Amino acid sequence: MARPRIKDVARLAGVSEKTVSNVINDYTHVSDRTRRAVRDAIEELGYKVNLAGRHLRQGRTGIIALVIPELDVPYFAELARHVIREAERRSLTVLIHQTGADRDHELAALTGFGSSFVDGVILSPLALTSDDLRDSAGAPPTVLIGELLEEGADHVAIDNEKAAREATEHLLGLGRRSIMVIGGRDDARLGTAEARTRGYRAALAEAGVAYDPAALLPVESFRTPDGAESLARALSEGARPDALLCLNDQLALGALRTLHEHGIRVPEEVAVIGFDDVEAGRFSVPTLSTVAPDKAAVAQVAVELLQRRMDEAMGSASTDASSTVVRSPQDLVVAHRLVLRESTEGVSGVLRSEAGWDRQGQGAAGRE
Amino acid sequence: MARPRIKDVARLAGVSEKTVSNVINDYTHVSDRTRRAVRDAIEELGYKVNLAGRHLRQGRTGIIALVIPELDVPYFAELARHVIREAERRSLTVLIHQTGADRDHELAALTGFGSSFVDGVILSPLALTSDDLRDSAGAPPTVLIGELLEEGADHVAIDNEKAAREATEHLLGLGRRSIMVIGGRDDARLGTAEARTRGYRAALAEAGVAYDPAALLPVESFRTPDGAESLARALSEGARPDALLCLNDQLALGALRTLHEHGIRVPEEVAVIGFDDVEAGRFSVPTLSTVAPDKAAVAQVAVELLQRRMDEAMGSASTDASSTVVRSPQDLVVAHRLVLRESTEGVSGVLRSEAGWDRQGQGAAGRE
DNA sequence: GCTAGTTTTTACATCGATGTACATTGGCTG
DNA sequence: CAGCCAATGTACATCGATGTAAAAACTAGC
């Protein structure tokens, strides 16, 4: 038994195909009687609209792509969860694409995967340059999250520089003066790492602490092993920091492990703070202080903005030259806050003392 | 400038639309000269095939759905990475769908999301029953991973019972006799938790250790907080285990945290072992012993099997009654191995001593 | 130079849903 | 009850790519 078509429903309900279509799409002027008859026929046949047909006709798929470097980096996974929820609320389906931080993959994503089946893209770039962005004409509407690229694209992120300054100030407030930055970079790029490094330097400057470029530990990628290894290397070369500003929680968790292996007590000898507030940091030994971005807000704002762009794109397609007032690119900033735990405060038993926006709906545990 | 169509390419190349299509699809009988002309025209216009048209015509989308309960459960994220890679190799695109362990969502996934735009589904069910599975006629080809449902569906997983028995034997071999099972369940369902609990009981029986149903700690979900909380509750009720068999690593990590808060030394006083071998367990304090499934193999086998099913489905659609020899459902078992780390062995510094299949291509770190 | 056979190319119909433009129906006003 | 308007419903063309069937172009053999 083949899948039923609109034609079959129409025949069963005794109306035209278009009327069935009208019912499906909640068109206003359909009498209740007709509507009911069609609904019954749909029910009886188990009819489901065929996306291909609709897509071909309307040019929309209702699918947006979420393009991220690595799915198994917990931060991205947590973010993805929020994006999916937000998209579902707008009856959009999310297609997740993983680039492996590869420039070609990111470019492919930008141009809609060589075909046209995504209506929009939320992209977390790592390897992409602003040139790539500029060249990608004909791409579907795109919103960037995380990294900021100079050229005018829509963008959502926390104020990374400010967040890093606050985190550094916290460490300075604990009396630490030798603060190393795992993942820090001081070059001219406009990336997240650079912004956070700037915040770090600003805090140092304000506190009158000298900045030593050797305090920046470069990493290959921002994953746990890199954090562990880069710190191990630094320690073996004689570094003796009293605090670590890790540019994400994965690096911090790796660093915690290395400190443990070296028998260095946290936070007594070395205080550690990260970024992202991933779940693992709430259960590590010691628990991890961190800069917590409002992930739900990032997701919400990003999806909302993308939807607006998609609507604009559709609109201008029909009205053509008229409303081609492409609104200027938005650069939206989302809230963050410092979450202080054992790795800087030393306090224990904070496990259930947390509350607020960041807690709600985190995982299936939220079902209770 | 609108996207070019096949028509535009045909006009520019001075051939018919079908010829362009033939070139695109590598049809054999096209002269080199024509082929080159068409290729040039495609190049010049920047033509990309429109998926909607192709989909409508062929009934295939090249998209498969990976349906999992929670994206931010690291095990699923890691698995997803492998599935994506495997699918890419076969030029399939993966759409990731998150059910939140919700039955309705899982059902929706089974039936192709109410529309027809996925060619196949890889589903990791949690709440679904075998009845649901049986009822879902007209669904796209589906391969289950993880949970085993009784009714004949294709299925890929490790031998959970055997794995749990080995893990338990390991704990018994350390002289532990009071082994609690976090996440354990002893009911009649055919789930992963049940299989692992059976393995646990088998090991106990073989070693002549009495089985106490109170050793099974139920959990709401299989996430870190649940592990922490269920163990805390048990301890407060007077439980004094000398080992914990945690049915996944997230539970184990939560348990480690609770043990730490209670000042209980691992593994001296309590040995801990988990399942899944997620990255966090390689860097926790202490590092986590675990049953490591060959995730790459799970992904590879699942995608391969699904592709075969999809091909069969297409084939029988054209040949109709002839080749409707629906091959019987496969139940494939993938390798696993015990990875012993500090939480049972107490040895330190194993960090870089690991090697083997499980290590390769884990994350961007593999780029070096 | 013609026939038979093969390769290359084409015109046209088709996949399923929906927009357009028009036909029909019913209700209301005067 | 004619005349109009608004509410409903319909026929048909269309979105873009590709399968079908058949025409056109070419090759080889005699």
Side-chain angles (χ1 to χ4, degrees), chain A residues 23-96:
Chain A
V23 170
I24 293 170
N25 294 285
D26 281 326
Y27 180 68
T28 323
H29 301 303
V30 178
S31 70
D32 283 349
R33 210 155 48 82
T34 311
R35 191 183 301 274
R36 205 162 333 110
V38 172
R39 288 256 165 78
D40 289 349
I42 288 178
E43 177 77 19
E44 180 173 341
L45 294 176
Y47 169 79
K48 306 274 175 56
V49 297
N50 177 318
L51 253 222
R54 171 178 289 176
H55 176 193
L56 179 56
R57 188 62 239 237
Q58 302 192 322
R60 276 197 181 217
T61 56
I63 300 178
I64 63 176
L66 173 63
V67 184
I68 57 188
E70 313 263 351
L71 244 179
D72 53 354
V73 171
Y75 171 71
F76 290 119
E78 293 182 16
L79 190 64
R81 145 186 292 274
H82 286 111
V83 169
I84 289 172
R85 173 186 332 211
E86 202 53 44
E88 201 166 76
R89 186 171 301 159
R90 299 154 187 276
S91 36
L92 293 170
T93 302
V94 177
L95 172 68
I96 297 178

Side-chain angles (χ1 to χ4, degrees), chain A residues 70 72 81 257 284 342 364, chain B residues 70 72 81 257 284 342 364:
Chain A
E70 313 263 351
D72 53 354
R81 145 186 292 274
R257 175 68 205 172
S284 57
E342 294 169 5
Chain B
E70 315 263 350
D72 52 353
R81 146 186 290 273
R257 175 68 204 174
S284 57
E342 294 168 5

Side-chain angles (χ1 to χ4, degrees), chain A residues 180-258:
Chain A
M180 300 193 85
V181 185
I182 302 188
R185 329 176 25 148
D186 202 12
D187 52 46
R189 264 193 78 220
L190 269 170
T192 301
E194 286 78 2
R196 292 178 180 173
T197 304
R198 266 200 311 283
Y200 160 78
R201 292 191 58 174
L204 287 192
E206 198 175 346
V209 176
Y211 163 64
D212 176 6
L216 304 187
L217 301 184
V219 293
E220 175 88 10
S221 73
F222 281 73
R223 300 176 62 103
T224 310
D226 302 87
E229 286 160 19
S230 71
L231 177 60
R233 205 175 311 117
L235 291 178
S236 77
E237 288 166 2
R240 288 296 173 269
D242 57 17
L244 297 174
L245 177 68
C246 306
L247 294 199
N248 77 9
D249 280 357
Q250 300 312 121
L251 293 175
L253 291 168
L256 284 183
R257 175 68 205 172
T258 295

Side-chain angles (χ1 to χ4, degrees), chain A residues 81-155:
Chain A
R81 145 186 292 274
H82 286 111
V83 169
I84 289 172
R85 173 186 332 211
E86 202 53 44
E88 201 166 76
R89 186 171 301 159
R90 299 154 187 276
S91 36
L92 293 170
T93 302
V94 177
L95 172 68
I96 297 178
H97 199 82
Q98 172 176 275
T99 62
D102 178 70
R103 181 165 162 279
D104 290 339
H105 274 105
E106 290 183 2
L107 255 180
L110 251 190
T111 53
F113 304 101
S115 42
S116 62
F117 74 110
V118 290
D119 292 345
V121 175
I122 295 179
L123 172 63
S124 175
L126 268 189
L128 220 52
T129 71
S130 49
D131 285 334
D132 295 325
L133 205 57
R134 217 172 304 134
D135 292 346
S136 66
T142 301
V143 172
L144 300 177
I145 53 181
E147 297 287 322
L148 172 61
L149 302 176
E150 61 191 356
E151 269 313 304
D154 293 308
H155 177 249

Side-chain angles (χ1 to χ4, degrees), chain A residues 3 48-53 55-56 63 69-74 77-78 80-82 84-85 88 93-98 100-101 105 111 114-117 138 220-221 223-226 228-229 232 250 253-254 256-258 260-261 279-280 282-287 342 347-352 359 362-365 367-368, chain B residues 3 48-53 55-56 63 69-74 77-78 80-82 84-85 88 93-98 100-101 105 111 114-117 138 220-221 223-226 228-229 232 250 253-254 256-258 260-261 279-280 282-287 342 347-352 359 362-365 367-368:
Chain A
R3 276 174 68 95
K48 306 274 175 56
V49 297
N50 177 318
L51 253 222
H55 176 193
L56 179 56
I63 300 178
E70 313 263 351
L71 244 179
D72 53 354
V73 171
E78 293 182 16
R81 145 186 292 274
H82 286 111
I84 289 172
R85 173 186 332 211
E88 201 166 76
T93 302
V94 177
L95 172 68
I96 297 178
H97 199 82
Q98 172 176 275
H105 274 105
T111 53
S115 42
S116 62
F117 74 110
E220 175 88 10
S221 73
R223 300 176 62 103
T224 310
D226 302 87
E229 286 160 19
Q250 300 312 121
L253 291 168
L256 284 183
R257 175 68 205 172
T258 295
H260 171 79
E261 286 179 6
E279 183 179 74
R282 292 202 274 272
F283 293 91
S284 57
V285 176
T287 53
E342 294 169 5
V347 200
S348 184
V350 288
L351 211 57
R352 57 201 65 231
R359 197 69 175 170
Q362 284 271 7
R367 280 183 296 159
E368 79 240 331
Chain B
R3 276 173 69 96
K48 306 274 173 59
V49 296
N50 177 319
L51 254 222
H55 175 193
L56 178 57
I63 299 178
E70 315 263 350
L71 244 179
D72 52 353
V73 170
E78 293 181 16
R81 146 186 290 273
H82 286 111
I84 289 171
R85 172 187 330 212
E88 201 165 78
T93 302
V94 177
L95 173 67
I96 297 178
H97 199 83
Q98 171 176 275
H105 274 104
T111 54
S115 43
S116 63
F117 74 112
E220 174 90 8
S221 72
R223 301 176 62 104
T224 310
D226 302 87
E229 286 159 19
Q250 299 311 121
L253 292 168
L256 284 183
R257 175 68 204 174
T258 295
H260 171 78
E261 288 180 5
E279 183 179 73
R282 292 202 273 272
F283 293 92
S284 57
V285 175
T287 52
E342 294 168 5
V347 200
S348 184
V350 288
L351 211 58
R352 57 201 66 232
R359 195 74 173 165
Q362 284 270 8
R367 280 184 296 158
E368 80 244 326

